[in-house]
Amino acid sequence: MEIILSQAANGLVLGFIYVLIAVGLSITFGMLGIVNFAHGAFFALGAYFAYELKMRFGWPAVVFAPLLVAAIGIVVEIVVIRRLYGKDPLVSLVITFALALLIEAIIRFVWGADGKPLAPPEFLSGFVELGPIFMTQYRVAVLGFTILALVALWAFMNFTPYGRILKAGSRDPEMVDMLGINLPHVLTGVFGLGCGLAALAGVLAGPLWTVSPSMAANAIMPAFVIVAIGGLGSFAGALVAGLAVGVVMSLTIQFWPQASTASMYALMLLVLLLRPRGLLGTRWERFE
């Protein structure tokens, strides 16, 4: 029982990291209608920026990594993504897949193909024992920080004018445009926000995973699975699905490591058989 509880707690940490990735992907897809296969590459880029900033300036400078990736995402939206709006989703899938390969090639060129160690801050290098649950201090810190980040994102989306514009635009972008709001600027901000969330997840995952080019592939598929399980555009759905995927994968790693990756696909199949729109998905007129 102690092993199960500890693995479930570690699964919650993994799940919250997946939620950060999936929420950014869901926002981008819901608002822009773009299947962003490069989302995992921005996740990896966030981890590499964190590694570089930590090596040059120390851990405090790592806070700028998501901002730098968000800025790169804004440039990418202006130069590339903006030309994909209204086109066949297959086109955006192919273009963003090529973009993911390009970013991964740049990462390999700049930092090499070998993994980079990113140790947690020294003040978070110990362990915490909560009854039968045994975790590292860094995992507890990641758990608390991701919860705060998601609460801040929820408050931003629901209680700020820009957040309300994002929610309205994801449902009916034409109406937002008719109200005199500069929709292209909104779409650019949405893509930058999604990339920044992916990069934040990469920063937090860096000390838990090896910082390597393969991080992109290890992040993108769970993100798509979580969006499918939770339901397109559902913040709460992404949260529930991400935690479920994290816990299921962690428990499977403990008792049946060979099936750890297959477990999330099995969970997705089960959910979609019972609810084709996902756990908390609703009908989206824009895509139906």
Side-chain angles (χ1 to χ4, degrees):
M1 182 58 68
E2 292 180 359
I3 293 176
I4 292 175
L5 290 176
S6 294
Q7 282 298 108
N10 289 327
L12 288 178
V13 176
L14 177 63
F16 272 113
I17 291 176
Y18 282 158
V19 168
L20 279 178
I21 307 171
V23 166
L25 182 64
S26 182
I27 290 174
T28 303
F29 187 27
M31 180 71 179
L32 278 62
I34 297 295
V35 182
N36 184 17
F37 210 86
H39 201 68
F42 289 108
F43 168 84
L45 202 58
Y48 272 98
F49 277 10
Y51 167 79
E52 191 69 24
L53 290 170
K54 187 258 183 182
M55 294 296 293
R56 291 178 179 272
F57 306 107
W59 266 103
V62 169
V63 298
F64 294 103
L67 300 178
L68 291 174
V69 176
I72 292 174
I74 288 173
V75 174
V76 168
E77 194 278 339
I78 294 172
V79 175
V80 179
I81 303 299
R82 186 171 294 182
R83 292 163 174 76
L84 304 178
Y85 298 149
K87 294 187 178 180
D88 192 311
L90 183 60
V91 175
S92 65
L93 180 62
V94 172
I95 295 297
T96 56
F97 180 70
L99 179 61
L101 296 179
L102 175 62
I103 295 175
E104 183 174 338
I106 293 173
I107 288 174
R108 291 179 183 273
F109 176 76
V110 175
W111 288 283
D114 57 322
K116 305 294 183 184
L118 183 61
E122 291 186 3
F123 66 92
L124 294 175
S125 59
F127 294 88
V128 175
E129 187 173 357
L130 302 172
I133 300 175
F134 191 72
M135 298 176 64
T136 64
Q137 290 182 2
Y138 181 74
R139 288 180 181 270
V140 175
V142 169
L143 187 63
F145 185 82
T146 49
I147 291 174
L148 289 176
L150 290 170
V151 169
L153 179 63
W154 173 82
F156 169 76
M157 295 292 290
N158 286 275
F159 300 112
T160 66
Y162 192 81
R164 294 191 184 100
I165 291 171
L166 296 187
K167 292 182 69 176
S170 64
R171 294 287 182 171
D172 195 342
E174 291 80 11
M175 181 59 69
V176 170
D177 193 32
M178 290 174 62
L179 291 174
I181 297 170
N182 193 321
L183 189 59
H185 289 177
V186 174
L187 299 180
T188 301
V190 168
F191 194 81
L193 175 62
C195 294
L197 289 173
L200 176 60
V203 171
L204 296 174
L208 300 176
W209 305 358
T210 300
V211 179
S212 66
S214 63
M215 291 181 72
N218 295 334
I220 189 62
M221 292 315 298
F224 276 114
V225 168
I226 290 167
V227 170
I229 292 175
L232 175 62
S234 174
F235 185 96
L239 177 61
V240 174
L243 297 182
V245 167
V247 171
V248 167
M249 289 186 66
S250 291
L251 293 177
T252 308
I253 289 172
Q254 178 65 36
F255 298 104
W256 193 8
Q258 299 86 342
S260 59
T261 301
S263 63
M264 68 176 179
Y265 297 115
L267 178 62
M268 178 178 68
L269 177 63
L270 177 62
V271 170
L272 295 183
L273 283 175
L274 298 176
R275 271 188 72 86
R277 290 178 181 151
L279 293 174
L280 299 175
T282 57
R283 184 175 184 272
W284 283 56
E285 293 81 359
R286 185 180 176 187
F287 302 109
E288 298 186 13

